[in-house]
């Protein structure tokens, strides 16, 4: 089954506690013909293992991570897992990685990355070269690899992605990644700040500019639904994070790590957390595509966490209906 090329994908909106929980969203993604089902880093059932279980139930469903955390695995292991998932699904896979918060690094590594951009540059570069069949001889400041993957010439392609918040990581992604994956990044900030940095990095290495996949949080306005409850449930930890708040302030969104409730309201007011009727949300999503985003990943985690899976799927269905209706070719009169 060839993956859909429409710009809409969906995000598994909560860390899975069972494969059954993922199957509902995977089945929805297949039935609606969206481009891909994405998952973040899960420490309940580990993300790649959860995706492997889902691939066994729904072969042919395109998958991706947005993003898995590099401190949990060596880049060689990451390459093995990514290629394994491409083989198990039978379609191209996106292996998106990020460094995680400094506190997370400190809990798992001898010391947090002293140069996170260098660490992720090495990580993505080693993965890409291994997946391309090279025998890698790499002794870097953060990673060492002197090995190759056993050949599997019929394995579907794997794209290596990096999570991107600010210009430095965007430039790094331009140098070494196939996909730049954003989270909470407004479409205007992506166009004005991240895309130029991606192009600079790509030009420095003489390579193609990575495509952009943006995770966009959304909730349909419905009677009785509190407008800031869903965003606070979905991204409350991000609103307490210095690096996410720095990115949002650069984009002109007034957030403060010490005031997450006010930050949730600011996300709604600015349109970063997209609310409204399904048609209004669809119109907002189109702006991401118009501003250089190739793949729009709709995330209704706030609805799931506050109202459950049925309400989340109901919102997704309405949003996709509205998006597809607005983009259907109109017959000439």
């Amino acid at each position: 089954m060839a993956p859909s090329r429409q710009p809409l994908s969906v995000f598994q909106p909560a860390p899975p506690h069972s494969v059954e929980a993922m199957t509902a969203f995977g089945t929805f993604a297949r039935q609606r013909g969206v481009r891909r089902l994405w998952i973040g880093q899960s420490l309940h059932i580990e993300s790649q293992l959860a995706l492997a279980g889902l691939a066994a139930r729904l072969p042919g469903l395109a998958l991706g991570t947005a993003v898995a955390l590099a401190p949990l695995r060596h880049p060689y292991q990451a390459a093995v897992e990514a290629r394994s998932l491409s083989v198990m699904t039978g379609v191209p896979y996106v292996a998106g990685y990020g460094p995680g918060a400094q506190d997370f690094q400190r809990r798992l590594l001898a010391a947090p990355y002293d140069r996170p951009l260098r660490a992720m540059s090495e990580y993505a570069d080693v993965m890409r070269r291994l997946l391309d069949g090279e025998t890698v001889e790499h002794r870097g400041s953060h990673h060492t690899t002197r090995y190759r993957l056993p050949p599997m010439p019929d394995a579907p392609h794997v794209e290596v992605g990096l999570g991107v918040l600010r210009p430095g990581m965007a430039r790094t992604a331009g140098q070494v990644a196939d996909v730049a994956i954003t989270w909470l990044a407004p479409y205007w900030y992506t166009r004005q700040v991240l895309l130029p940095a991606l192009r600079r990095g790509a030009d420095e290495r003489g390579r193609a500019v990575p495509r952009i996949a943006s995770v966009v949080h959304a909730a349909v306005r419905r009677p009785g639904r509190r407008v800031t409850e869903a965003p606070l449930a979905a991204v409350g930890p991000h609103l307490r994070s210095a690096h996410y708040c720095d990115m949002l302030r650069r984009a002109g969104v007034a957030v403060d790590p010490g005031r997450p409730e006010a930050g949730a309201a600011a996300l709604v007011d600015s349109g970063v957390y997209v609310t409204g009727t399904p048609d209004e949300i669809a119109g907002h999503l189109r702006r991401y595509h118009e501003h250089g985003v190739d793949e729009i990943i709709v995330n209704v985690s706030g609805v799931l966490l506050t109202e459950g899976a049925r309400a989340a799927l109901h919102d997704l269905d309405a949003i996709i209906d509205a998006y597809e209706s607005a983009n259907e070719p109109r017959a000439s009169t």
Side-chain angles (χ1 to χ4, degrees):
M1 180 187 298
S4 168
R5 300 309 296 172
Q6 73 149 297
L8 285 192
S9 289
V10 298
F11 194 87
Q12 169 65 34
H17 288 74
S18 68
V19 177
E20 287 76 13
M22 290 189 68
T23 301
F25 284 88
T27 300
F28 173 88
R30 166 177 278 181
Q31 290 174 343
R32 292 309 313 251
V34 299
R35 188 163 177 176
R36 181 174 284 104
L37 178 72
W38 295 78
I39 189 172
Q41 179 64 63
S42 171
L43 300 177
H44 295 86
I45 299 177
E46 202 285 323
S47 302
Q48 279 76 9
L49 292 176
L51 292 178
L54 185 63
R57 297 191 177 197
L58 297 171
L61 178 65
L63 303 169
T65 52
V67 293
L69 298 181
L72 290 171
R73 55 182 59 76
H74 189 279
Y76 187 92
Q77 177 68 17
V80 171
E81 290 174 347
R83 190 178 67 176
S84 299
L85 281 163
S86 79
V87 171
M88 293 179 73
T89 58
V91 292
Y93 175 73
V94 182
Y97 276 89
Q102 190 175 76
D103 181 64
F104 183 80
Q105 298 166 24
R106 188 179 294 112
R107 292 173 184 272
L108 296 181
L109 305 175
Y113 298 135
D114 59 342
R115 300 175 69 184
L117 299 183
R118 172 67 64 84
M120 295 314 301
S121 175
E122 291 182 12
Y123 201 97
D125 181 61
V126 167
M127 281 190 70
R128 180 71 273 154
R129 291 163 62 195
L130 287 167
L131 290 163
D132 288 342
E134 291 186 31
T135 299
V136 176
E137 291 286 341
H138 176 83
R139 293 176 181 266
S141 57
H142 295 86
H143 305 290
T144 296
T145 303
R146 300 183 299 279
Y147 212 14
R148 68 182 300 232
L149 292 180
M152 290 188 72
D154 296 329
H157 183 64
V158 173
E159 290 182 292
V160 176
L162 285 180
V164 169
L165 288 181
R166 294 176 286 191
M169 191 63 84
R171 180 179 173 186
T172 298
Q175 294 169 342
V176 296
D178 306 307
V179 189
I181 302 166
T182 74
W183 181 281
L184 289 179
Y187 62 82
W188 61 89
Y189 173 82
T190 299
R191 178 65 173 266
Q192 296 167 6
V193 177
L194 298 182
L195 186 53
L198 282 168
R199 287 172 174 156
R200 284 196 298 274
D203 288 347
E204 288 166 0
R205 298 288 178 91
R207 61 193 305 273
V209 179
R211 67 186 187 87
I212 302 174
S214 291
V215 179
V216 183
H217 291 75
V220 176
R221 284 186 182 267
R222 298 190 186 278
R225 181 174 283 176
R226 295 176 59 186
V227 72
T228 60
E229 189 175 68
L232 192 60
V235 297
H238 301 84
L239 292 171
R240 297 179 180 90
S241 166
H243 58 296
Y244 275 97
C245 286
D246 177 66
M247 180 272 290
L248 288 164
R249 285 194 295 264
R250 291 174 187 233
V253 182
V255 292
D256 181 335
R259 302 177 63 219
E261 292 82 4
L267 292 184
V268 172
D269 291 343
S270 64
V272 174
Y273 195 105
V274 189
T275 62
T277 67
D279 287 337
E280 289 169 341
I281 292 173
H284 196 94
L285 295 178
R286 283 195 299 275
R287 295 191 186 102
Y288 280 85
H289 197 48
E290 292 163 359
H291 283 71
V293 173
D294 176 75
E295 186 170 356
I296 304 159
I297 308 164
V298 184
N299 186 342
V300 292
S301 60
V303 177
L304 181 136
L305 292 170
T306 54
E307 300 179 32
R310 181 174 295 183
L313 287 167
H314 186 41
D315 271 20
L316 273 177
D317 204 37
I319 291 166
I320 294 170
D321 273 346
Y323 190 93
E324 291 180 345
S325 296
N327 287 278
E328 286 177 356
R330 288 179 170 79
S332 58
T333 57

